[in-house]
Amino acid sequence: MIAPPEVLRFAAKRALKIRTVAGYSLERPCDVYELIFHSRLELQFFAVPTLEGMYLEDGHTRRICVSAFRPPGRQRFTAAHELAHSALLHGTRVDTIKELKEKTSENDVDEESADTFAACLMMSNAAVHSGFKLRNFNVHKPTPAEVYRVATWLGVGYSTLSNHLFYSMRAVSSQHLRQLLRCEPKAIKSELVRKQTTREVFELDALWAGVSVHGRVGDLFTGVTAVSDDVLA
Amino acid sequence: MHRPTLSNIESGERKVSAVELKLFAEGYKVSTEWLLDEETDSNSRIKLAARKLSGLKDKDLETVMRIVDSFRRNRK
């Protein structure tokens, strides 16, 4: 079942309102983990390879679960998707494995509106445009490295932003999208740091000021010229 | 907690105090009942949203159900 346009519009408006109320300007990235923390939701990473994430609540406590086996950008988008289920009051009562299988396989409308919410939360048009424009990148014909840099800044994956540029914003042509998707993030990252790597690469520029970096051990950072003792303490 | 201590607990050579049990439960976000493998009331139903659970492997589905159970028990 396809979600009605008004349902998707409501999801988009809700996302924009939540990020604005939380103090994130529309031109800046929204830190979904910070937002989850401030919304008093629990966040848990679980070891289920075949499930992206899920949302649980019991009336008192709300918990977002995200698979530990996904790339960081994907995990953040999933966290935003699960946050949508809380913000849009989704969910069904379950008690057994049978109920889990039956009741969670039907509600495509909720899932589609949660994706719309997540996209608006993390890739608002204004944030995407400013991410490209302020770096002097052409949003209509970006190179793979440029898309990667903006995607990392926004906290989403490379292919997520590439698809968003075409399917949601119509900023790039279908031909350009195909060209972008032909490039593997691994190759882009390796080119950025001039060595083979599968780790995240953060190219930190002036636009990162005030934006949280969720790095993990082994991730690579470029553009950092000095780190004060205060930061390391 | 030091790694040898954890190894001793896992091998059954060292018992866990009530305080440590509570700390483990808080750290892993599960209930003490869940850690002790105790039965709990299954009537306290919770709300869940997730996609494509029907396509999950049985092993993963069981893990999901364990997470749901631990969430339920943690609330008690």
Side-chain angles (χ1 to χ4, degrees):
Chain A
M1 186 179 175
I2 297 170
E6 63 270 21
V7 172
L8 300 183
R9 271 198 297 273
F10 176 76
K13 279 183 182 173
R14 190 92 181 96
L16 295 177
K17 178 157 189 189
I18 283 177
R19 60 172 286 159
T20 306
V21 168
Y24 295 100
S25 99
L26 289 177
E27 291 80 25
R28 305 281 292 162
C30 173
D31 185 337
V32 66
Y33 292 150
E34 203 174 74
L35 192 56
I36 287 168
F37 177 76
H38 287 304
S39 303
R40 297 180 185 277
L41 272 80
E42 293 180 352
L43 177 65
Q44 179 184 15
F45 291 89
F46 61 43
V48 182
T50 53
L51 182 66
E52 294 272 351
M54 67 179 171
Y55 169 70
L56 299 167
E57 75 162 71
D58 70 347
H60 301 288
T61 307
R62 298 169 295 161
R63 183 184 293 179
I64 284 170
C65 303
V66 177
S67 174
F69 296 106
R70 293 290 186 277
R74 187 73 208 163
Q75 288 176 328
R76 281 190 286 271
F77 190 86
T78 298
H81 173 103
E82 305 307 335
L83 180 63
H85 289 313
S86 171
L88 302 172
L89 308 177
H90 294 163
T92 184
R93 304 275 165 193
V94 294
D95 208 33
T96 64
I97 286 185
K98 188 168 175 281
E99 281 181 333
L100 273 181
K101 280 185 174 180
E102 289 171 355
K103 291 188 177 178
T104 57
S105 60
E106 299 158 353
N107 212 333
D108 290 342
V109 172
D110 283 1
E111 295 305 320
E112 203 180 332
S113 57
D115 274 345
T116 301
F117 176 100
C120 286
L121 190 78
M122 302 196 68
M123 298 178 288
S124 69
N125 280 0
V128 174
H129 277 296
S130 68
F132 282 94
K133 192 178 172 186
L134 295 175
R135 291 181 172 90
N136 291 320
F137 300 159
N138 182 353
V139 71
H140 301 295
K141 284 195 173 174
T143 66
E146 289 169 352
V147 172
Y148 177 83
R149 279 181 64 177
V150 177
T152 312
W153 181 68
L154 291 168
V156 297
Y158 169 76
S159 46
T160 302
L161 179 59
S162 297
N163 282 309
H164 187 73
L165 286 171
F166 173 69
Y167 289 105
S168 300
M169 297 178 64
R170 298 288 171 191
V172 299
S173 66
S174 59
Q175 187 189 3
H176 196 80
L177 173 67
R178 281 197 297 278
Q179 284 174 5
L180 290 173
L181 295 180
R182 269 201 290 271
C183 285
E184 293 282 336
K186 185 183 166 187
I188 300 167
K189 290 188 274 192
S190 299
E191 197 180 308
L192 283 173
V193 293
R194 298 195 179 96
K195 68 173 187 178
Q196 288 295 316
T197 183
T198 55
R199 303 308 308 236
E200 285 300 289
V201 175
F202 295 89
E203 200 156 272
L204 303 178
D205 52 30
L207 291 185
W208 278 87
V211 177
S212 304
V213 180
H214 292 281
R216 300 185 297 187
V217 174
D219 286 349
L220 301 166
F221 298 86
T222 67
V224 182
T225 52
V227 178
S228 74
D229 290 343
D230 293 345
V231 174
L232 296 172
Chain B
M1 188 171 281
H2 297 297
R3 198 172 285 275
T5 313
L6 279 174
S7 301
N8 287 341
I9 291 170
E10 283 171 354
S11 62
E13 289 172 26
R14 182 187 182 286
K15 289 182 178 174
V16 180
S17 72
V19 173
E20 287 167 340
L21 186 69
K22 192 165 181 295
L23 287 173
F24 278 131
E26 284 170 3
Y28 292 114
K29 295 199 180 301
V30 296
S31 68
T32 50
E33 289 89 347
W34 189 80
L35 286 172
L36 294 168
D37 204 21
E38 287 178 347
E39 287 294 321
T40 55
D41 177 15
S42 65
N43 292 324
S44 52
R45 307 185 89 196
I46 62 161
K47 205 158 90 168
L48 177 144
R51 78 175 93 192
K52 294 177 183 169
L53 285 184
S54 56
L56 249 58
K57 291 175 184 169
D58 285 347
K59 188 183 164 196
D60 287 347
L61 205 53
E62 282 170 19
T63 306
V64 169
M65 201 62 216
R66 277 206 301 276
I67 292 168
V68 173
D69 278 343
S70 77
F71 179 78
R72 176 188 298 126
R73 292 172 192 191
N74 202 29
R75 306 299 122 210
K76 298 181 82 178

